[in-house]
Amino acid sequence: ELKLPVFVIDYVPAAQRELARATARRIEEAGFVPWVASGDLATLGVGRVEVMPRRVLLIHSPLANEYALRQNAVVRMATMPLNYLGYAAEYADTRHLPEYPLAGRHAGVVVWLDDATPAEDVRRLAAWLKKRVDENVPVAIVNQLSQLLDTPLARTLGLERRAAPASSSLVEVAQRDAMIGFEHQPHPQPFEYFPLSAAKARPLLTLAMDRTQQVAAALTPWGGYVIAPYAVVTLANEADIRWVIDPFAFLSAALRLPEMPVPDATTESGRRMLLVHMDGDGFVSRSELPGNPYAGELVRDRVVRKYGLPMTLSVIEAELSPQGLYPQLSTKLEAVARDIFRAPNVEIASHSYSHPFNWRKAGAAAAEDEGGYNLAIPGYRFDLQREIEGSIRYIETRLAPPGKKVAMFLWTGDCIPGRDALEWTQRLGVMNMNGGDTTATRTRRTLTQVEGLGVERNGLFQVFAPNQNENVYTNEWTGPYYGFERVIETFELTEKPRRLKPIDIYFHTYITTKRAGMQSLDKVFAHALGQENTPLFASEYARKVLEFPRIAVARSAQGWRIRGMNELHTLRLPAALGAPDLARSAAVAGYREQDGVRYVHLAGKTGEAELVLQAASGAADAVATPRLVSANARIEDSQHAGAAYRWNLAGHVPLEFSLANAAQCRVRVAGRDLSPLRRDGAVSHYRLTAHAARPLEALCQH
């Protein structure tokens, strides 16, 4: 009678998520606004929309210190596949397990222990995992399972181990799923074998020996497991690791991850992102090129002025300042740095004061009044504030043009900062990047050489460089000096069959000191410029990475509701979900179909979007709608009114864009009619000399 909305709150145990969904539907069908949560209100409930948990908790063995997390297998191996699937990784060791329920907060748990985990920790973990299974949170156990089989958890999981046969017969592969043999085939050995059964499981790998069987990998009612060495295997040279199981398929199936739109930090406006960033090492070095110019001069003349791409370039203060290592060269080198930082296509970064080689040891040595872990600057003892804030203030006061600030801090040396260093970058409002070991090549064709977006340390995040610099490809600058051209292989292997990374032309200043190094750098630029991409500053990429875990993806009655996408503007949509219905969606500017997926472009200033999909059978209707297919610029805004479609585009380079189903439309930029360069079927391609189009219009006849 009063036309007031009525909210109905109901309670369902956290483990019964499907019952919560059904209850919410019944309440809504009765005409009320539903909210169904657990009785203690400790889990995220279900209403008219259901927020999809996008975090996975990764459990590892105890660490010697916070720096050891960086090299742990759970970071190096498990993070990247989860990031690709759309999930942010959180880490916890067996001594610091969260006490709160995970249902509704986390999509699942991955346990990846080493074989030296203390027995007390294993017992604690077993009791904790039983609670997770009871609340119906999927669990994937990778690598070390044996210790957990000696706890009461084994009965809960339906796993039973028996004594190994006395003989040493050959172990045979009795059954193998398509998930097994991803990069390397399983080679079971008798000394690794023990009989193991799994109740109500779907075996992925079954081994047999002397009339016994071992289910070495399986999907189970509670999640799934794969025991060592059938997740990853170390090859005979002990330097290379290969995936035995398909990590994408296994983690998706074991954690029961739903098909949903995935925030994607590789793509902007339908094109792969392109970054350029430089560590300032060797700015002062003389080149072997004619005239023996300084390396910094070659960067200015042969990189900054030659390539009009946005690039993020850094210097090491101790190499340039009058109080540094080369005071007699300071006047000349500072002038070169000012030239570089004055360029509009250059974003300024610091590469520290004294270039710490090992951040943990540098700090420890300073506490003991020792040195050796950073450049030997007379009278200087390592100090975090001096390294980060001090170097930034030096650049801004002596090298940067008025009003231009330092945007990034690029980690040095081992690129493993502690939380205290990350706090300094956050306090100063600069982005941070570097680290990660993405170096896959044709001779090391493995995804174990492709890392995730970065690593979280107690709420602060280190952004990894998308790939590595010439130092890796030239054997630590010992040769071959043309080796950096092999980064092109890394670009290709991280593009297909899955786009895992942006293109990042990442180098040190000293690459210009060798003719072969300079030629390799030109070759890499030529390759990148020959691809369709969207050039960005490194800080823009870093902001997208930092936003990735905070984005909310929620299922609604109409489709999907997206919140928090202010910096990251791309959703990767599995083809099976259908095509966007642009007429019914909000803040969706278009999409591109490529390699079996759809890259959906979001626009708008609020970071919010409503994505309505047409089923695959009805996708043909959606395809007929004029849409923006791709652009090498950010989409600031998108509007549709009747037969008029408008987009605001802004980029860093001359504008290129493609429109679908616009052949019968009048395409204009700021009131000026455009003609396409070419047409490929229903797609028309355009190019401008300007870096922006406000507005780009397609005026169509329906």
Side-chain angles (χ1 to χ4, degrees):
E1 186 175 318
L2 297 177
K3 307 298 183 185
L4 294 176
V6 176
F7 290 78
V8 172
I9 301 175
D10 208 337
Y11 306 99
V12 167
Q16 299 181 31
R17 196 71 172 173
E18 191 53 51
L19 177 59
R21 296 185 184 109
T23 304
R25 285 194 297 270
R26 288 173 55 201
I27 294 171
E28 187 167 17
E29 288 167 358
F32 306 115
V33 180
W35 185 253
V36 182
S38 58
D40 57 4
L41 298 177
T43 61
L44 188 63
V46 178
R48 283 180 171 171
V49 300
E50 179 183 0
V51 177
M52 312 302 291
R54 289 191 53 249
R55 289 182 175 268
V56 174
L57 187 63
L58 278 60
I59 308 298
H60 55 83
S61 300
L63 304 173
N65 52 59
E66 64 166 314
Y67 301 88
L69 176 64
R70 169 67 194 90
Q71 298 300 335
N72 192 275
V74 80
V75 173
R76 294 189 301 110
M77 304 295 171
T79 302
M80 183 276 289
L82 289 170
N83 288 165
Y84 176 79
L85 293 168
Y87 294 84
E90 291 184 357
Y91 310 99
D93 67 39
T94 51
R95 295 177 182 174
H96 301 89
L97 300 169
E99 298 179 359
Y100 52 80
L102 299 191
R105 301 184 187 210
H106 289 72
V109 175
V110 176
V111 179
W112 196 316
L113 305 181
D114 59 44
D115 54 8
T117 309
E120 181 181 350
D121 285 15
V122 173
R123 289 192 293 271
R124 183 187 303 110
L125 174 63
W128 184 86
L129 286 174
K130 184 179 186 307
K131 295 179 181 178
R132 306 291 77 79
V133 173
D134 289 345
E135 63 176 324
N136 203 27
V137 173
V139 175
I141 302 175
V142 181
N143 209 38
Q144 293 299 328
L145 180 65
S146 295
Q147 292 168 290
L148 289 170
L149 294 176
D150 295 328
T151 70
L153 178 67
R155 182 182 296 274
T156 300
L157 302 183
L159 302 178
E160 183 180 359
R161 176 173 58 185
R162 295 185 297 279
S167 69
S168 57
S169 303
L170 291 177
V171 182
E172 298 180 345
V173 175
Q175 173 269 336
R176 183 180 63 186
D177 188 86
M179 289 187 199
I180 303 297
F182 183 65
E183 294 179 341
H184 199 273
Q185 297 299 327
H187 292 294
Q189 300 295 329
F191 65 88
E192 296 168 331
Y193 180 88
F194 57 89
L196 177 65
S197 62
K200 300 179 181 179
R202 171 192 156 192
L204 301 177
L205 178 63
T206 305
L207 309 177
M209 176 176 155
D210 289 346
R211 298 182 181 179
T212 66
Q213 286 194 335
Q214 179 191 68
V215 181
L219 300 177
T220 64
W222 46 267
Y225 69 91
V226 52
I227 65 175
Y230 308 113
V232 294
V233 62
T234 302
L235 303 187
N237 63 9
E238 298 186 353
D240 287 326
I241 301 174
R242 297 290 185 271
W243 280 103
V244 177
I245 199 164
D246 181 338
F248 305 101
F250 172 71
L251 291 172
S252 182
L255 300 180
R256 302 194 290 272
L257 302 180
E259 292 270 39
M260 69 177 187
V262 170
D264 188 291
T266 69
T267 304
E268 179 83 6
S269 306
R271 301 187 180 201
R272 193 179 186 186
M273 298 177 201
L274 169 61
L275 322 177
V276 179
H277 86 282
M278 183 191 81
D279 291 349
D281 308 43
F283 199 96
V284 67
S285 299
R286 287 284 192 176
S287 172
E288 296 176 355
L289 272 64
N292 304 119
Y294 292 104
E297 291 179 303
L298 284 171
V299 168
R300 178 192 62 194
D301 300 335
R302 296 278 300 271
V303 179
V304 174
R305 292 174 178 172
K306 180 177 180 180
Y307 301 108
L309 295 171
M311 47 188 74
T312 303
L313 307 182
S314 69
V315 294
I316 301 168
E317 179 184 344
E319 283 195 351
L320 274 68
S321 80
Q323 291 75 39
L325 296 172
Y326 311 103
Q328 72 280 11
L329 301 176
S330 178
T331 299
K332 182 174 183 62
L333 294 176
E334 285 190 331
V336 174
R338 291 188 193 101
D339 287 344
I340 291 173
F341 292 153
R342 194 179 297 117
N345 62 314
V346 171
E347 176 179 73
I348 306 176
S350 169
H351 201 44
S352 81
Y353 171 57
S354 71
H355 195 283
F357 312 132
N358 183 302
W359 287 79
R360 178 181 68 84
K361 291 182 178 180
E368 298 176 9
D369 204 17
E370 297 177 358
Y373 297 104
N374 54 306
L375 294 175
I377 303 168
Y380 173 65
R381 186 168 69 176
F382 176 83
D383 175 75
L384 265 183
Q385 183 174 1
R386 182 67 186 85
E387 293 293 334
I388 300 174
E389 183 179 31
S391 65
I392 289 173
R393 299 298 175 236
Y394 160 76
I395 292 171
E396 291 182 341
T397 56
R398 290 188 65 91
L399 306 181
K404 195 169 184 179
K405 299 295 184 181
V406 171
M408 297 202 76
F409 189 90
L410 301 176
W411 302 113
T412 65
D414 65 352
C415 295
I416 307 179
R419 192 181 192 280
D420 50 0
L422 288 167
E423 284 178 339
W424 269 109
T425 62
Q426 184 184 61
R427 188 179 309 169
L428 296 168
V430 297
M431 296 294 104
N432 81 90
M433 194 169 77
N434 275 355
D437 290 311
T438 294
T439 56
T441 60
R442 292 188 190 122
T443 52
R444 301 184 77 185
R445 196 183 188 98
T446 171
L447 293 185
T448 64
Q449 294 295 311
V450 180
E451 294 218 44
L453 296 172
V455 59
E456 182 179 339
R457 289 193 180 87
N458 298 319
L460 296 180
F461 198 87
Q462 176 187 349
V463 178
F464 286 166
N467 50 257
Q468 292 306 292
N469 54 53
E470 82 295 321
N471 194 51
V472 175
Y473 296 91
T474 61
N475 301 302
E476 298 185 354
W477 202 235
T478 62
Y481 295 113
Y482 58 81
F484 187 49
E485 66 185 42
R486 296 199 67 188
V487 76
I488 295 172
E489 299 172 27
T490 307
F491 297 160
E492 293 171 342
L493 293 173
T494 52
E495 168 69 359
K496 292 184 178 180
R498 299 172 184 84
R499 181 176 293 171
L500 301 173
K501 293 288 180 180
I503 292 175
D504 182 13
I505 303 176
Y506 172 23
F507 60 98
H508 288 99
T509 317
Y510 61 69
I511 195 174
T512 64
T513 63
K514 298 287 186 181
R515 184 182 299 274
M518 190 70 243
Q519 290 173 340
S520 72
L521 187 60
D522 285 332
K523 187 172 182 178
V524 172
F525 269 102
H527 171 83
L529 290 170
Q531 315 298 309
E532 270 198 349
N533 51 59
T534 301
L536 301 174
F537 286 117
S539 68
E540 294 176 292
Y541 170 74
R543 282 194 290 271
K544 295 175 190 297
V545 171
L546 293 181
E547 189 173 83
F548 176 83
R550 302 194 295 266
I551 293 168
V553 178
R555 196 196 311 267
S556 68
Q558 292 74 36
W560 298 91
R561 184 168 295 175
I562 314 298
R563 297 292 184 267
M565 293 189 73
N566 298 286
E567 303 290 342
L568 197 160
H569 310 117
T570 298
L571 294 172
R572 193 177 70 250
L573 190 65
L577 290 183
D581 186 331
L582 298 179
R584 298 169 60 205
S585 299
V588 177
Y591 62 90
R592 182 177 194 172
E593 300 182 21
Q594 190 172 14
D595 298 326
V597 299
R598 292 187 174 97
Y599 293 99
V600 180
H601 333 315
L602 304 187
K605 301 176 182 178
T606 64
E608 301 180 356
E610 302 289 330
L611 178 61
V612 180
L613 302 176
Q614 281 202 352
S617 59
D621 295 333
V623 170
T625 304
R627 73 177 192 276
L628 182 68
V629 175
S630 72
N632 63 348
R634 175 177 177 172
I635 305 166
E636 296 179 325
D637 194 18
S638 174
Q639 297 176 4
H640 170 216
Y645 301 81
R646 293 182 177 87
W647 305 270
N648 284 350
L649 307 179
H652 299 294
V653 294
L655 191 61
E656 297 177 358
F657 60 92
S658 301
L659 301 176
N661 308 311
Q664 305 304 315
C665 304
R666 184 182 179 189
V667 177
R668 305 190 308 174
V669 170
R672 180 170 60 90
D673 288 354
L674 296 181
S675 297
L677 289 175
R678 70 181 193 281
R679 287 195 172 98
D680 298 323
V683 179
S684 302
H685 304 275
Y686 299 84
R687 182 179 298 157
L688 301 175
T689 56
H691 293 191
R694 299 185 179 102
L696 164 65
E697 299 176 295
L699 307 178
C700 309
Q701 301 257 341
H702 287 315

